[in-house]
């Protein structure tokens, strides 16, 4: 006789499904439409709920959690403003292909469309910035829909999925059964690359005299860092990472020539411009990487590997497209290269490496190390030294983000946590909270700026409640730094509303939240202040570092310019540039 299934209310099904899915942390904020669920969360202990102070903080914390672990971040918010407050974080995850499952409460099904209290069309609002979304109208569909949401969010090219749950669905009852597997006829991501395309790619790759490997965030999302490192070592080719791909290849290795793109290194961008074969792995050729598309890699044949077929040839025509999971495709490429009778010719590459060395001699990241006014680059370099490059680093968006990417050398994947595609100010602090919950024994630092920091400053309260001692390094230049830089370069120094007037006393502010505040105003004090902050293993520390207001991020590729048309720092070896 078959065992009878449990009869559970929708709210119970929600909690049980999260448990069966292996969810450990749920980031959320309660409200009327989800109170049945919150009542069930109170009764169970399998899933820890993290009460943030704003729904945007919930999505960013879940996002940081997902980026640092590879597991999906999970969010629960109420209807109406709860759902709309979450949209910025959902869009942030969507742009960077981060797996989130966001549950939004909804008014009862019989009231949908009646402009009921706290009703919004969550499905319509989020449709442009999710991988998929669901509206659950029957409690019998709830468990299966949750399973589908996790499957869609984490398979193929990852992304956020929204599940909208009306309040009456959480009150209704049905038999509970959580599916072990899910089959969606219209959704079948390709995993293995086509053998014929892989063979074509190997032939082209082995013919290169001026090759470049260009890897992006897809390598990290696809857990393919080992394969990328093996592939690069076998070939002996130079490699560059995108902003989202930092850490996929070890930054301290001699074959790594720095990040590319708008604020990439001179040698990486010049090598991109002059290469004859470009191997793009898990990257989407976005505008911050390519510069002017008409001038992008004019002499290169391009191999493009990506799990998402819609990303291939979307921005840049390619010669050998390979659709597939990057980990599987790289393994197949490595096997085929090893089987080749003809091996990569190191002598052919010697002139190319010599040219790259001449470009590197320009020293494009050089800055004034003798300055008594604190240079933000110096702070990042000291942080890298003191943490031995092994910390988890979150950032907000702006100049500080670019300096962190340039000067903190990431040797491991999933250590660099930032909003790349959407460029969301306010991301850094809640993301650090999520990372610390995922890795409680690791050092987690948030590199921010005073303008970004105040956007989600309320999550300092969440850090205290859940004992997540992160270290916040605010590079305070009293400006919206990147806005000021653009105004200096392109708007004749008309600093329209980029000056941050009436800033709080960040030390007192940190202390008011129950944390430690440290102000640093002299270059000579930076190292000791960082050591002090890092020594507090069980306390959140906010460092207010007063930096040079006039410092700009270099190199820089302006709009409409190509990789070979960078604006370099006055501190760079410009004579060497002419020689190179």
């Amino acid at each position: 006789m078959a065992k009878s299934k449990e009869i559970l209310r929708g709210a119970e099904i929600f909690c049980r499904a999260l448990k069966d899915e292996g969810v450990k942390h749920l980031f959320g904020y309660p409200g009327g439409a989800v109170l049945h669920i919150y009542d069930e969360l109170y009764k169970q202990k399998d899933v820890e709920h993290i009460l943030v102070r704003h729904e945007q903080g919930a999505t960013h914390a879940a996002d940081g959690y997902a980026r640092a672990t590879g597991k999906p971040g999970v969010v629960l918010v109420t209807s109406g403003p709860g759902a709309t407050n979450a949209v910025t974080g959902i869009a942030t995850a969507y742009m960077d292909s981060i797996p989130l499952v966001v549950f939004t409460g909804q008014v009862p099904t019989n009231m949908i469309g009646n402009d009921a209290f706290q009703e919004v069309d969550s499905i319509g609002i989020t449709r442009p910035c999710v991988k998929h979304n669901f509206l659950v109208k029957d409690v019998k569909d709830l468990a299966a829909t949750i399973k589908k949401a996790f499957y869609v969010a984490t398979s193929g090219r990852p992304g956020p999925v929204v599940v909208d749950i009306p309040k009456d669905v959480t009150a209704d009852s049905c038999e509970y059964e959580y599916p072990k597997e899910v089959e969606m006829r219209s959704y079948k991501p390709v995993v293995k690359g086509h053998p014929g395309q892989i063979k074509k790619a190997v032939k082209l790759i082995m013919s290169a005299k001026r090759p470049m490997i260009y890897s992006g965030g897809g390598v990290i999302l696809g857990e393919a860092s080992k394969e990328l490192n093996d592939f690069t070592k076998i070939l002996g080719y130079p490699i560059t990472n995108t902003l989202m791909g930092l850490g996929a290849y070890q930054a301290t290795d001699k074959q790594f020539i720095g990040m590319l793109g708008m604020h990439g290194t001179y040698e990486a961008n010049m090598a991109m411009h002059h290469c004859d074969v470009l191997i793009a792995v898990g990257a989407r050729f976005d505008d911050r990487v390519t510069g002017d598309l008409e001038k992008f890699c004019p002499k290169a044949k391009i191999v493009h590997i990506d799990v998402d077929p819609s990303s291939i040839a979307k921005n840049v025509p390619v010669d050998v497209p390979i659709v597939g999971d990057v980990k599987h495709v790289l393994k197949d490429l490595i096997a085929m290269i090893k089987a080749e009778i003809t091996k990569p010719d190191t002598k052919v590459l010697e002139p190319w490496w010599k040219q790259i060395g001449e470009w590197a001699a320009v020293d494009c990241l050089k800055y004034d190390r003798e300055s008594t006014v604190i240079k933000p680059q110096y702070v990042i370099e000291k942080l890298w030294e003191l943490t031995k490059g092994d910390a988890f680093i979150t950032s907000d968006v702006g100049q500080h983000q670019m300096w962190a990417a340039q000067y903190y050398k990431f040797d491991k994947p999933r250590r660099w946590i930032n909003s790349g595609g959407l460029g969301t100010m306010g991301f850094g602090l809640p993301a650090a909270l999520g990372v610390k919950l995922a890795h409680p024994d690791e050092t987690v630092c948030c590199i921010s700026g005073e303008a970004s920091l105040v956007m989600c400053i309320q999550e300092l309260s969440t850090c205290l409640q859940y004992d997540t001692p992160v270290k916040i390094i605010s590079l305070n230049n009293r400006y919206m730094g990147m806005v000021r830089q653009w105004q200096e370069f392109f708007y004749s120094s008309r600093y329209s509303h980029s000056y941050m007037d009436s800033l709080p006393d960040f030390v007192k502010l940190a202390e008011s939240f129950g944390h430690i505040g440290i102000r640093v105003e002299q270059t000579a004090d930076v190292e000791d202040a960082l050591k002090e902050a890092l020594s507090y293993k069980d306390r959140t520390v906010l460092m207010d570092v007063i930096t040079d207001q006039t410092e700009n991020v270099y190199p820089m590729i302006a709009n409409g310019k190509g990789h070979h048309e960078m604006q370099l720092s006055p501190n760079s070896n410009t004579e060497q540039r002419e020689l190179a």
Side-chain angles (χ1 to χ4, degrees), residues 108-301:
T109 52
N110 66 339
M111 300 180 71
I112 293 175
N114 290 344
D115 293 333
F117 176 67
Q118 290 195 331
E119 179 192 359
V120 298
D121 178 8
S122 298
I123 296 299
I125 288 170
T126 61
R127 187 172 287 119
C129 60
V130 293
K131 187 175 178 184
H132 195 61
N133 56 23
F134 301 90
L135 171 61
V136 183
K137 293 184 177 180
D138 190 323
V139 69
K140 296 184 183 70
D141 299 327
L142 182 57
T145 301
I146 291 173
K147 184 68 179 180
K148 288 177 182 176
F150 279 94
Y151 171 64
V152 172
T154 56
S155 58
R157 180 180 180 174
V161 175
V162 167
V163 182
D164 200 30
I165 309 175
K167 188 169 185 178
D168 58 315
V169 171
T170 64
D172 292 344
S173 300
C174 71
E175 291 184 342
Y176 175 70
E177 182 178 11
Y178 195 64
K180 290 184 172 60
E181 295 178 348
V182 62
E183 180 75 17
M184 298 177 70
R185 189 169 56 184
S186 61
Y187 176 68
K188 294 185 183 297
V190 175
V191 175
K192 296 286 285 182
H194 190 282
Q197 292 299 97
I198 291 172
K199 191 172 183 180
K200 284 183 189 175
V202 170
K203 185 178 179 181
L204 180 57
I205 289 166
M206 299 293 278
S207 72
K209 293 181 174 60
R210 300 186 307 279
M212 270 295 289
I213 300 170
Y214 148 53
S215 72
V219 175
I220 294 171
L221 295 169
E223 304 292 355
S225 180
K226 180 184 182 302
E227 288 74 17
L228 177 69
N229 279 263
D230 291 346
F231 176 71
T232 306
K233 293 289 186 187
I234 288 168
L235 292 171
Y237 292 176
I239 182 169
T240 181
N241 289 156
T242 66
L243 178 70
M244 300 308 302
L246 292 175
Y249 189 86
Q250 59 226 50
T252 55
D253 185 77
K254 63 183 180 181
Q255 285 176 244
F256 182 69
I257 61 174
M259 181 177 74
L260 83 160
M262 178 174 278
H263 296 295
T265 65
Y266 184 65
E267 54 269 33
N269 284 333
M270 291 296 283
M272 287 287 290
H273 185 73
H274 291 281
C275 72
D276 64 351
V277 173
L278 179 66
I279 308 147
V281 188
R284 59 186 179 88
F285 294 89
D286 73 282
D287 60 296
R288 288 294 175 104
V289 159
T290 63
D292 183 358
L293 285 171
E294 295 295 321
K295 302 172 183 176
F296 179 73
C297 294
K299 304 168 187 175
K301 298 283 188 182

Side-chain angles (χ1 to χ4, degrees), residues 65 68-69 392 414-415 434-444:
Y65 185 97
T69 63
F392 285 84
R414 299 197 180 278
R415 297 275 165 159
V435 174
K436 191 64 177 177
L437 282 164
H439 298 288
D441 298 325
E442 299 283 352
T443 299
V444 179

